[in-house]
């Protein structure tokens, strides 16, 4: 490879990195796949970098290539580290593999915008294209400064990237299927491939593994989209997500015909390169949606459909069979083992019968095995007898549900775990369920500790039993669950397999409507159940009520009498831009938790706000427009926590608006996350004396805290991370003598800490990572005798070094991205 750039620093750095990658790839087998990808990327980037160098030199702007050199130097550090990691250290090997993969993606993303330079035929055309590129870069940097993290979170919630695949998948059938499907996808041409098999056999897991295959990624690159379809597919929503995934402006789509037209336009735009589209979990009645994604104009376009059903019109069809008998037994024993020790040698016949009842399906085996984990074999025999009494083997799906249901009956003497499992059904199929929403619901329903630690522990118990998955989209290093209640789960999401959710719905639908403890309603259009629309229902006994509406819902809410409801979950996906809260909320006197979630792509205005009840203790709004200042006219004297996530917070007020402190005088926690239009808090907030936690995060236009914030003497946590426009902390913050956590991480414009910060005598921890302009500490910092931990980058740590003698308990924690440890489970 030629890397002669006339001695330029970037050329030298590029040549050194490329040579190093080639050499280490030959000698370190543990990271060979990742290093070969980086080598391939660098080969593709070589001509682009030459063009960039040439043009920047012509424009006398070589200084602007410094970020490229920094990126290349970063790569050298990562590749050199490969030589220092022992191959038997699986943890370090795993985390460093991820870093190499992320680095390769970062390099590709960095240079992708310069690709048009290669098509330029002369200097004049090249300069013209460079001007266009610089304009795009300017626009990108501007949008990143104002809303980059919002974009990140939108992508986390709406993206169609391939989910992470497990490192290990059980079953010889899987390897054979991977090989056959890989071969079909690598062939040129357009085709629809159907992967079919019973629910819980591992179809989705297999596709995740396949899409992360080196050869598949090499061919399709960024044109791989993974679309969960589910039982009620929403074509408009999927098309909008596809536009966002591919970096195009998201269109407003008013009809399904319009969605099909926009989809075809998008496919023609991206179809010059191979495209792979996965439609995951397509139901029998949704077969027609597959036709909408077919595009004959693309030369190399593969659609892979996963389904429990075989669609005769589409070929080829690949059947994924259950595990072999021996594989099923091995998986069962792995999941039923305690501390890597099985309890003697189990009866072979007993094991055989149990795994056959599980239909040799991995999901069912894991759930059943973990329900028997650590139990005596006599208990296993008892459960087998119950399964034998559950019905015949004639209906496979019925028996699978029976098998799963009976595995829930015993939860190590803790029926609360089953209750938590059932509550997950309150959220739509294939939905990423915010853990904060679950905590709000569970704290009130089950009288748990208000900080949510017990609720989060219960969720982990569900995960350990394979009854739910936990997805972490971001980890805040300020969160290490200290005793002063800094528990923070805004980047955590739970997910439930569709087979398990079906079980939940079946269980919830048993018995008379009036006597159910949990009511989950999924409305189609304006069709209400007869018992509701005909106004014949008696008062309902449900403590948890969930109502989901689709895009075609547009009617008035019939009355619903909910005298015992303590938690109400409203899920909506509206075609219109407004959503009216139902009037019956006002009469639900025992309602303590209200969770309102807009699942459509664009925000919706929330109407009928006056119905929000006085007994509510927790409210959570997601992706709605809310009149925050006008909420002062409400009566929410029981409210302890209010959360706004990705909301448009209307800050206009009228002369008739009362102070927010009058509406919620007993508020303990205010949580505002990814609300990009928030500029400031109303001054009335500072009159809410019980307020203990203020979390304002990822709000990129938020520029100032109220000058009177020092009046909030009960505050213990002030979390302001990623408020990139915040340039100053008010002097009155020194009066917050109960604050133990101050998180100002990623506040990029913040240039100084308050002069008298030393008066915050109980401050225990400061997170200041990413505070680029913060270059010195105020003298009063030496008075923070209880300061125990500071989180920052290496360059900022030097400011704290001289204080170690004065503050003997202080530990400087150099920031490094926390690894996701879910793979260890």
């Amino acid at each position: 490879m030629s890397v002669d750039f006339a001695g330029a620093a970037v050329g030298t750095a590029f040549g050194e990195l490329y040579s190093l990658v080639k050499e280490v790839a030959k000698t370190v087998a543990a990271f060979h796949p990742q290093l070969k990808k980086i080598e391939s990327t660098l080969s593709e980037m070589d001509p682009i970098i030459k063009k960039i160098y040439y043009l920047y030199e012509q424009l006398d702007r070589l200084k602007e290539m410094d970020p490229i050199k920094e990126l290349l130097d970063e790569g050298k550090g990562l590749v050199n580290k490969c030589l220092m990691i022992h191959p038997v250290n699986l943890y370090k090997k795993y985390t460093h593999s991820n870093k190499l993969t992320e680095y390769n993606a970062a390099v590709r993303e960095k240079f992708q915008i310069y690709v048009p330079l290669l098509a330029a035929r002369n200097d004049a055309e090249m300069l013209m294209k460079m001007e266009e590129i610089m304009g795009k870069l300017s626009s990108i940097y501007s949008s990143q400064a104002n809303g980059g993290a919002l974009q990140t979170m939108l992508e986390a919630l709406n993206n169609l990237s391939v989910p992470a695949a497990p490192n290990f998948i059980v079953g010889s059938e899987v390897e054979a299927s991977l090989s056959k499907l890989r071969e079909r996808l690598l062939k040129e041409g357009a085709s629809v491939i159907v992967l079919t098999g019973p629910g819980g056999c591992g179809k989705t897991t297999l596709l995740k593994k396949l899409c992360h295959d080196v050869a598949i990624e090499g061919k399709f690159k960024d044109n791989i989209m993974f679309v969960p379809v589910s039982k009620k597919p929403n074509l408009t929503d999927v098309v909008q997500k596809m536009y966002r995934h591919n970096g195009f402006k998201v269109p407003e789509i008013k009809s399904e015909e319009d969605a099909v037209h926009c989809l075809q336009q998008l496919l023609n735009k991206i179809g010059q390169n191979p495209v792979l589209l996965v439609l995951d979990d397509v139901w029998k009645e949704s077969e027609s949606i597959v036709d909408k994604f077919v595009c004959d104009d693309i030369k190399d376009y593969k659609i892979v459909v996963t389904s429990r059903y075989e669609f005769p019109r589409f070929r080829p069809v690949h059947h994924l069979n259950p595990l072999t008998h021996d594989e099923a037994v091995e998986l069962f024993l792995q999941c039923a083992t305690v501390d890597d020790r099985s309890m003697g040698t189990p009866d072979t016949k007993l094991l055989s019968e149990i795994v056959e009842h599980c239909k040799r399906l991995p999901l069912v085996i894991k759930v059943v095995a973990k329900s028997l984990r650590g139990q005596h074999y006599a208990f296993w025999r008892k459960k087998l007898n119950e399964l034998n009494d559950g019905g015949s083997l004639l209906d496979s799906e019925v028996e699978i549900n029976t098998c799963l249901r009976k595995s829930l009956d015993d939860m190590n003497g803790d029926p609360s775990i089953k209750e938590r499992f059932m509550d997950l059904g309150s959220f739509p199929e294939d939905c990423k369920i915010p853990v904060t929403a679950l905590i709000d619901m569970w704290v009130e329903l089950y009288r748990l500790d208000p900080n949510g630690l017990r609720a989060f522990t219960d969720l982990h118990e569900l995960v350990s039993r394979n009854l739910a998955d936990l997805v972490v989209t971001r980890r805040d290093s300020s969160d290490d669950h200290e005793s002063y209640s800094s528990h923070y789960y805004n980047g955590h999401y739970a997910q439930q397999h569709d087979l398990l959710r079906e079980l939940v719905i079946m269980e919830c639908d048993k018995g008379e409507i009036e006597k159910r403890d949990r009511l989950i309603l999924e409305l189609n259009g304006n069709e209400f159940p007869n018992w509701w629309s005909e106004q014949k229902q008696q008062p309902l006994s449900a403590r948890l009520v969930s109502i989901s509406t689709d895009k075609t819902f547009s009617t008035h809410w019939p009355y619903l009498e909910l005298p015992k409801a303590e938690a109400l979950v409203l899920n909506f996906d509206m075609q219109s831009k407004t959503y009216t809260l139902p009037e019956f909320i006002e009469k639900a006197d025992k309602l303590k938790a209200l969770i309102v979630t807009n699942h459509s792509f664009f925000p919706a205005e929330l109407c009928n706000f006056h119905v929000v009840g006085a007994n509510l203790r927790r409210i959570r709004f997601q992706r709605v427009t809310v009149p925050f200042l006008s909420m002062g006219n409400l009566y929410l004297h029981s409210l302890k926590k209010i959360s706004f996530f990705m909301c448009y917070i209307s800050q206009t007020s009228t002369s008739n608006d009362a102070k927010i402190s009058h509406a919620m005088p007993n508020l303990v926690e205010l949580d505002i996350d990814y609300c990009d239009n928030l500029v400031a808090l109303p001054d009335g907030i500072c009159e809410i004396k019980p307020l203990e936690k203020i979390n304002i995060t990822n709000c990129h236009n938020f520029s100032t805290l109220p000058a009177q914030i020092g009046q909030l003497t009960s505050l213990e946590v002030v979390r302001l991370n990623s408020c990139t426009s915040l340039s100053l902390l008010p002097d009155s913050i020194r009066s917050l003598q109960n604050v133990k956590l101050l998180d100002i991480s990623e506040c990029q414009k913040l240039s100084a800490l308050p002069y008298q910060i030393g008066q915050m005598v109980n401050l225990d921890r400061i997170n200041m990572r990413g505070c680029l302009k913060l270059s010195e500490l105020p003298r009063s910092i030496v008075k923070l005798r209880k300061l125990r931990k500071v989180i920052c980058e290496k360059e900022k740590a030097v400011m704290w070094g001289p204080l170690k003698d004065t503050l003997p308990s202080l530990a400087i924690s150099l920031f490094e991205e926390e690894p996701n440890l879910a793979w260890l489970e």
Side-chain angles (χ1 to χ4, degrees), residues 391-425:
S392 70
L393 302 179
L394 296 177
D395 190 329
S396 178
E397 288 204 8
V398 169
E399 191 184 3
I400 289 170
N401 280 318
T402 300
C403 192
L404 288 170
R405 186 174 64 252
K406 289 188 179 296
S407 71
L408 300 176
D409 290 342
D410 184 89
M411 291 286 186
N412 287 342
D414 188 357
S416 64
I417 299 301
K418 181 178 179 181
E419 295 298 312
R420 311 294 191 271
F421 169 72
M422 300 287 285
D423 291 342
L424 296 182

Side-chain angles (χ1 to χ4, degrees), residues 11 106 174 239 281 348 429 547 572 600 602 615 823:
V174 170
V239 172
D281 190 24
T348 304
E429 182 185 359
I547 305 175
F572 66 93
S600 61
F602 295 106
N615 293 320
W823 68 281

Side-chain angles (χ1 to χ4, degrees), residues 486-488 490 641-642 644 669-673 678 693-697 699 715 717-721 723 741:
S486 68
H487 314 296
Y488 192 63
N490 278 26
K641 179 185 176 185
I642 188 165
F644 303 94
E669 182 172 356
L670 174 64
D671 194 352
I672 305 178
D673 194 22
L678 182 73
K693 288 192 256 187
I694 289 181
N695 301 313
I696 304 174
T697 54
C699 297
L715 270 183
V717 173
V718 177
R719 186 179 274 109
L720 304 167
N721 65 285
C723 292
L741 167 65

Side-chain angles (χ1 to χ4, degrees), residues 492-508:
H492 296 66
Y493 295 86
Q495 286 186 294
Q496 188 175 45
H497 192 283
D498 57 347
L499 198 64
L500 295 173
R501 189 174 186 276
E502 287 172 40
L503 174 63
V504 168
I505 301 303
M506 288 172 57
E507 290 292 293
C508 288

